[in-house]
Amino acid sequence: MPKIAPRTERLRVPREITILLIAAFIIALGFGLIAPILPQYAVSFDVGAAAASIIVSIFAFARLIFAPVAGVLTAKLGEPKIYVTGVSLVAVSTLLCAAVQDYTQLLVVRGLGGFGSTMFTISAMALIARLAPEGSRGRISGMYAGAFLLGNVMGPVFGSLLAPFGMRLPFLIYGVALLIAAAVVYVALARKPVQEKLEDNEVAEPSAPVPVLTTREALRSPTFRAAMASGFSYGWLAFGIRTSMIPLFALAVFGEGTGQRVAGISLAIFAVGNGVALTFSGKLTDAIGRKKPVLLGMGILLSSIVLMGYFTSLPAFIIFSILAGFGGGILGPAQQAAVADVIGAGRNGGKALAGFQMATDLGAIIGPLIAGLMADHINYQVALSASGAVCLVGVVAWLFTPATVPAVRQPSGNEEHEH
């Protein structure tokens, strides 16, 4: 009989993960400042929607091509060192964004930021997967997403207050915020080895080697393969379309003045829907498994993005933005917990996470490029509908994946937790 953890069990968060939660909030707060203005900042250099979307895509492209290297570095040097290095690179890139004089310069420095971003993303996910208690992976994934969410909610609010001072100041503030986050993690984690939680009363020696899970080994799991497919779809919609096309769509529908405000509002209210879902989605995925929350969340996110293109009143725009965020908030913790299940406690999953991250970034790259070209040559409705159709791959993959055992169940001898 598999052992079932009591539902009243108190959530225990390792100290290292708490530090990452704090850093995640700082990073997201700064990102929230620049996300609404980044496509418009690109347009200010006299380029069109497709070229503006490339600014988002180049960041993801750099993450994509550097992900295997980041995975290897995480496995060899450890998560904290790679995390600090990655955040520092993004800080330098962001500060340079405030000083660029043309579109080409902006493209280059955003690409530099992508290299750093994949380093801190993979290392943070690897540390969470290795240290999160098995029966609480969904909830801890939800807490990590919630830290980013809170920063993303507060960021656009502060950004709107900075609007009269131009579009360069938010990049300066974000760069400083990233340096603070890097300093927090360096002082707390990077200067001393991370101790690994094994059992309630057992702690591994800092010098003990940590087993490494490769991408090839992870791909033997149907759960990991499905997570890569849904990660591709999530990257296309939540990172690509939401952060590049939706602000430009708002500008086209509501005009330059109102459109800029609506673009910021859309990102903020997406975060509202995300936050509502995160209040229960982590606990839900720990209780019922990963498959159903992934399917539900992806379905809501996908349909909301598509319908947004056909209901262009301000109330409809707000409603679908909230629903899209709600779907993403259900999907995110379940998807990340599923990957953590495959990695298993006590293993360094940097290499496997690099493969998963590449799938997500590939969607974030292709999505804005294809949708941007469609928006320029046809219209935004077709662009959003085509994106929804392509991203059905994330739904189909999970439909044919065996249902996962809830994370609170701990079957012996089965690290992938599948029926």
Side-chain angles (χ1 to χ4, degrees), residues 277-288:
L278 287 174
T279 61
F280 67 87
S281 60
K283 187 175 181 179
L284 177 68
T285 194
D286 282 336
I288 68 172

Side-chain angles (χ1 to χ4, degrees), residues 299-361:
I300 295 174
L301 173 63
L302 188 154
S303 58
S304 299
I305 294 292
V306 172
L307 291 173
M308 190 180 294
Y310 294 93
F311 297 88
T312 55
S313 67
L314 182 58
F317 195 84
I318 292 174
I319 290 172
F320 288 122
S321 294
I322 293 174
L323 286 175
F326 186 80
I330 295 175
L331 168 63
Q335 184 172 255
Q336 187 168 332
V339 175
D341 288 344
V342 175
I343 294 171
R347 290 200 289 186
N348 185 307
K351 292 182 178 180
L353 284 165
F356 172 72
Q357 190 63 56
M358 288 175 70
T360 303
D361 288 335

Side-chain angles (χ1 to χ4, degrees), residues 9-217:
E9 180 182 2
R10 184 178 179 180
L11 176 61
R12 291 172 293 177
V13 182
R15 168 182 166 276
E16 293 83 3
I17 293 180
T18 300
I19 298 299
L20 291 180
L21 295 176
I22 296 171
F25 169 74
I26 296 173
I27 292 170
L29 182 66
F31 178 76
L33 291 176
I34 70 167
I37 65 167
L38 184 57
Q40 297 166 24
Y41 187 47
V43 169
S44 72
F45 294 109
D46 297 322
V47 298
S53 297
I54 291 176
I55 294 298
V56 177
S57 294
I58 192 63
F59 189 85
F61 179 73
R63 285 166 54 94
L64 175 68
I65 62 175
F66 194 67
V69 178
V72 171
L73 290 175
T74 299
K76 288 187 175 181
L77 301 178
E79 299 95 339
K81 291 180 181 178
I82 301 305
Y83 185 97
V84 171
T85 303
V87 174
S88 299
L89 280 176
V90 181
V92 171
S93 166
T94 304
L95 292 171
L96 289 174
C97 282
V100 298
Q101 299 300 311
D102 57 42
Y103 174 81
T104 302
Q105 293 177 3
L106 180 62
L107 195 66
V108 171
V109 296
R110 283 297 290 171
L112 174 64
F115 287 119
S117 176
T118 196
M119 292 176 73
F120 82 73
T121 300
I122 289 174
S123 56
M125 291 174 62
L127 195 59
I128 289 174
R130 178 157 65 91
L131 298 180
E134 185 176 7
S136 304
R137 286 175 184 150
R139 283 172 287 174
I140 288 180
S141 296
M143 290 174 65
Y144 190 70
F148 269 104
L149 170 68
L150 185 59
N152 281 328
V153 169
M154 297 177 64
V157 174
F158 291 136
S160 64
L161 298 176
L162 296 174
F165 301 99
M167 289 190 285
R168 295 181 185 268
L169 182 60
F171 290 97
L172 290 173
I173 296 175
Y174 183 31
V176 173
L178 289 168
L179 291 176
I180 293 173
V184 168
V185 176
Y186 176 75
V187 171
L189 300 183
R191 291 195 300 177
K192 59 183 179 179
V194 175
Q195 291 186 331
E196 177 191 335
K197 180 77 173 177
L198 296 178
E199 300 292 344
D200 290 341
N201 299 312
E202 183 182 359
V203 177
E205 292 297 327
S207 59
V210 178
V212 176
L213 177 70
T214 66
T215 303
R216 180 176 297 181
E217 291 170 334

